[in-house]
Amino acid sequence: MNILILGNGAREKVIAEKLNNNNNVLIYASENFEKIKNICIQKNIDLVIPSTEVYLCNGIVDYLQNEIDNIKVFGPNKYQAQIEGSKHFSKNIMQELNIPTSKYTFLNNYEEVKKFYKDIRVCVEETVIKYDGLAKGKGVYLPDTVEESLKAIKNLFYTHDDNSGIIVETRLHGIEVSILAFCNGKEAYLMPQAQDYKRIYDGDKGPNTGGMGAVCPVNILTNKELIQVKKHIDKIVKKLNYKGVLYAGLMKTKDCVYFLEFNCRFGDPEAQVILNLLDSDLLNILNDCIKGNDLLINWKDKHVACVVLSHILYPMEKLKEVTNISYVDDIDNTVKIYHSNVNEVGKYQYTTGGRVLSMVSVSETLQLSLENIYNNIYKIKYDGVYYRRDIGCNNKSNKKT
Ligand code: GLY
């Protein structure tokens, strides 16, 4: 099969690795749909996997299916992808289907925001501000004061011009966990529970990032809770006839498991850990989802960790120049590397910063996977190299079993 993966991060590299057997896999990133269509035609592509939300929320599935006869595209259409593309849409559906989520207020524009904060009856430290539309991981604020809230919201409106509003919701306290599912339009097939580390600094401090590391499996949710979570995700799948990957960001509080948000694709770095546990053929799963068939999925009884190496300026600034990457020694074969932002010219590698690469290890215990990574991480050198030192450390599964 000729397969095209849209996107160009570490997540796309692990998806490609899982599909490489007996298939021609091409990874390509362009936001121009016409260029994508032309590549599909030139390369005789059978299956397209748009793996970042921007493609899906902008309607790449609808577009390619209209433009090219018989092409298969894995993922939700534009309407369904609003589950990630519009926080308001997603909150409405959750309320309608009785899915536990925090209370919220939707505000259309800055005038409504000012009025809301003038009349606010709750403590502002107990609120979360979220941009309604896509914000590339930069749309969530946890404010401490009204002034800070207004500043953050002004900035959100200033940096996005797609006429989205914002939502202000009640802040929840607990443990976060990611549950992803393969969906065939009728039912959700849950992947093993994973945890990602969103903040830039150790101890979950500092601004949010796309994700600085992940571990899988974790045992945060009990079997009983997982059954409930599946029932809730199934309701969304049935309501939207949703096909593709559905990713639920959950918060386990002392009284309930709440749904914080939905994403319409694999997470990055969650994909790096979850897909390394997949013991079934990924292509069969994707085809069965598209066809609406029942799925049979096997998972390896192993533990995976991922640590993301970024540039020290991430997520605040982009690097203005390139920097060379060198290796002080060979990386042990217990560790895999997936590039996010590494370019190669001959035998030289360089990066322009951001999230640079993911180091992943699969082994018998989470402890060992983490040791494999942290015993090799120093071998990768570039100016401004940065990574968290505490991935997996706060985790219940981080005990030697
Ligand atoms: N790691 C979070 C995300 O992919 O949205």
Side-chain angles (χ1 to χ4, degrees):
M1 236 188 173
N2 295 325
I3 301 173
L4 176 67
I5 301 174
L6 298 174
N8 196 18
R11 165 182 51 196
E12 287 70 34
K13 309 296 163 35
V14 71
I15 296 172
E17 181 184 79
K18 296 299 288 187
L19 294 169
N20 262 333
N21 294 349
N22 303 323
N23 300 302
N24 293 319
V25 183
L26 184 68
I27 298 181
Y28 178 69
S30 162
E31 286 183 14
N32 183 321
F33 282 12
E34 208 174 327
K35 277 193 184 159
I36 295 170
K37 175 182 86 175
N38 292 338
I39 296 264
C40 290
I41 295 168
Q42 277 161 23
K43 304 279 180 189
N44 214 2
I45 296 292
D46 304 293
L47 170 67
V48 182
I49 305 168
S51 100
T52 74
E53 63 279 14
V54 178
Y55 294 112
L56 296 160
C57 296
N58 288 335
I60 190 74
V61 174
D62 318 54
Y63 174 82
L64 289 176
Q65 283 173 343
N66 282 336
E67 294 285 323
I68 306 174
D69 287 343
N70 298 325
I71 193 150
K72 288 185 189 162
V73 192
F74 176 78
N77 64 28
K78 189 173 181 176
Y79 179 76
Q80 297 159 339
Q82 287 180 92
I83 199 74
E84 171 162 7
S86 165
K87 301 281 174 282
H88 193 201
F89 177 92
S90 150
K91 281 287 202 184
N92 264 334
I93 288 205
M94 286 194 259
Q95 278 191 341
E96 184 190 326
L97 299 177
N98 272 326
I99 296 176
T101 191
S102 57
K103 291 203 187 82
Y104 79 104
T105 307
F106 176 70
L107 302 165
N108 265 306
N109 52 44
Y110 199 61
E111 285 312 306
E112 286 186 18
V113 168
K114 279 197 294 195
K115 184 165 179 329
F116 174 83
Y117 278 99
K118 213 165 141 219
D119 301 341
I120 192 166
R121 287 178 215 287
V122 290
C123 198
V124 78
E125 296 99 310
E126 290 304 320
T127 63
V128 182
I129 296 165
K130 289 185 179 169
Y131 191 63
D132 176 37
L134 287 183
K136 295 190 177 157
K138 293 188 177 144
V140 179
Y141 285 92
L142 304 175
D144 287 325
T145 62
V146 169
E147 292 67 40
E148 221 179 273
S149 307
L150 289 169
K151 196 171 153 206
I153 294 168
K154 208 171 204 172
N155 190 40
L156 281 173
F157 282 134
Y158 180 73
T159 47
H160 300 88
D161 55 4
D162 59 356
N163 291 325
S164 292
I166 59 133
I167 63 173
V168 181
E169 64 178 27
T170 310
R171 203 177 294 190
L172 298 168
H173 302 275
I175 310 176
E176 278 191 56
V177 56
S178 307
I179 297 289
L180 284 75
F182 289 109
C183 307
N184 63 359
K186 297 183 289 207
E187 192 181 342
Y189 294 78
L190 304 195
M191 305 183 206
Q193 312 180 40
Q195 203 172 26
D196 80 330
Y197 292 73
K198 291 204 178 69
R199 304 291 194 100
I200 188 75
Y201 302 127
D202 288 3
D204 286 329
K205 303 259 170 16
N208 264 344
T209 68
M212 296 303 293
V215 293
C216 184
V218 293
N219 53 7
I220 293 166
L221 300 182
T222 62
N223 283 342
K224 209 167 147 196
E225 287 165 336
L226 279 171
I227 289 169
Q228 281 306 317
V229 166
K230 175 175 157 46
K231 277 190 187 154
H232 291 310
I233 302 181
D234 278 346
K235 290 192 257 177
I236 302 264
V237 174
K238 286 199 180 89
K239 162 111 190 139
L240 297 178
N241 184 25
Y242 188 99
K243 291 181 177 175
V245 168
L246 192 53
Y247 164 152
L250 305 173
M251 175 77 83
K252 178 172 169 162
T253 69
K254 57 182 179 356
D255 44 42
C256 183
V257 177
Y258 286 95
F259 284 71
L260 298 176
E261 61 180 12
F262 283 101
N263 295 322
C264 61
R265 34 107 197 147
F266 280 112
D268 183 340
E270 287 92 332
Q272 290 88 304
V273 287
I274 295 172
L275 289 179
N276 265 295
L277 286 182
L278 184 63
D279 209 14
S280 300
D281 186 87
L282 180 61
L283 183 56
N284 286 343
I285 296 175
L286 306 186
N287 276 324
D288 282 338
C289 287
I290 292 170
K291 288 186 199 146
N293 292 345
D294 291 349
L295 309 183
L296 184 66
I297 309 175
N298 294 316
W299 299 97
K300 292 178 193 162
D301 186 16
K302 301 263 184 195
H303 293 259
V304 195
C306 167
V307 178
V308 172
L309 280 80
S310 66
H311 190 273
I312 192 78
L313 295 176
Y314 177 74
M316 307 314 279
E317 280 176 54
K318 291 235 164 82
L319 198 56
K320 294 193 179 66
E321 292 167 354
V322 301
T323 178
N324 287 332
I325 301 174
S326 59
Y327 296 80
V328 294
D329 205 348
D330 287 343
I331 307 287
D332 295 343
N333 62 12
T334 52
V335 178
K336 298 188 197 181
I337 292 183
Y338 300 102
H339 291 167
S340 298
N341 184 12
V342 176
N343 297 295
E344 299 188 47
V345 180
K347 59 184 179 15
Y348 295 102
Q349 289 188 347
Y350 66 90
T351 180
T352 52
R355 288 193 289 177
V356 175
L357 57 89
S358 286
M359 290 185 100
V360 171
S361 181
V362 184
S363 72
E364 298 307 316
T365 67
L366 177 59
Q367 181 73 33
L368 191 55
S369 296
L370 290 165
E371 276 170 24
N372 290 338
I373 293 172
Y374 283 116
N375 285 339
N376 279 277
I377 210 160
Y378 74 94
K379 295 176 185 170
I380 298 182
K381 298 252 179 235
Y382 51 85
D383 283 345
V385 64
Y386 174 79
Y387 53 88
R388 275 182 63 162
R389 267 95 171 147
D390 67 341
I391 302 302
C393 288
N394 61 343
N395 201 281
K396 285 195 226 160
S397 310
N398 188 25
K399 297 198 185 96
K400 246 189 175 115
T401 49

